[in-house]
Amino acid sequence: MGSRVNEVSSAIPPQKLFKIFLLDSHITIPKILPQTIKSIDIIEGDGGPGSIVQTNFVEGSDYKYVKNKVEVVDTEKLIYHYSTIGGDPWMEGLDKISYEVQIEAHGDGGSICKSTIKYFPIGDAKIDMDQIKVGEDQAMAMFKVVESHILANPDAY
């Protein structure tokens, strides 16, 4: 198993960041990123622990979809854990990728988003960390686009 820890600060208050990026992502993210995300569908469950959520990318993307399983949702402590369990294409030799996200207050009303990402290979399979880094960079770029949109439209969410 490999793991990485990321931390990013945001001017968005913690509760709002948690709601927009995690709880309501199936509603907010496709509206903000229609050039990238076609839809985010809850295909099993109610969005809480045990639910399966599928992110569908627009035509022409490198990816068609990604499936995530929601594991922990704590709206008081602003903790959200989920695992990517499949997608098209899926990284060969990888069983799943787990994300443990916690959002905390920071600065003048802003927040810090801390995430621990764990990669679970199948057996002795080697994980392509260069490919992992590309995916993380793409996710960070999407985060920044969404954050900029929210800051520019504070009453929209």
Side-chain angles (χ1 to χ4, degrees):
M1 176 180 71
S3 67
R4 296 171 65 87
V5 177
N6 294 319
E7 204 171 283
V8 62
S9 61
S10 174
I12 301 169
Q15 292 283 352
K16 188 172 191 175
L17 190 69
F18 189 77
K19 184 171 176 48
I20 292 169
F21 274 95
L22 298 167
L23 295 181
D24 292 346
S25 64
H26 61 288
I27 299 166
T28 57
I29 302 301
K31 288 180 183 177
I32 297 170
L33 291 170
Q35 70 281 10
T36 306
I37 307 294
K38 181 177 179 181
S39 67
I40 299 176
D41 304 314
I42 299 170
I43 58 175
E44 187 177 308
D46 61 4
S51 297
I52 305 295
V53 180
Q54 181 169 308
T55 300
N56 300 296
F57 297 92
V58 297
E59 295 288 324
S61 297
D62 292 340
Y63 301 96
K64 291 182 182 175
Y65 69 89
V66 162
K67 281 188 184 178
N68 294 314
K69 181 175 184 180
V70 178
E71 295 167 352
V72 175
V73 178
D74 186 329
T75 57
E76 288 183 23
K77 294 181 182 174
L78 304 181
I79 295 172
Y80 192 96
H81 296 186
Y82 67 98
S83 291
T84 299
I85 56 173
D88 181 26
W90 184 242
M91 290 187 0
E92 192 172 314
L94 197 57
D95 182 38
K96 70 177 182 175
I97 306 169
S98 291
Y99 302 84
E100 299 172 1
V101 180
Q102 181 164 16
I103 299 175
E104 301 173 352
H106 177 71
D108 294 331
S111 51
I112 294 278
C113 180
K114 298 178 180 180
S115 61
T116 301
I117 307 165
K118 297 177 182 173
Y119 302 92
F120 295 87
I122 297 170
D124 292 335
K126 299 289 181 216
I127 299 172
D128 184 348
M129 292 310 287
D130 290 336
Q131 188 176 1
I132 296 292
K133 179 77 172 114
V134 167
E136 289 178 5
D137 290 347
Q138 289 171 336
M140 182 56 66
M142 287 175 47
F143 176 89
K144 289 299 183 184
V145 168
V146 172
E147 178 190 42
S148 294
H149 178 84
I150 294 165
L151 291 171
N153 301 281
D155 297 327
Y157 304 95

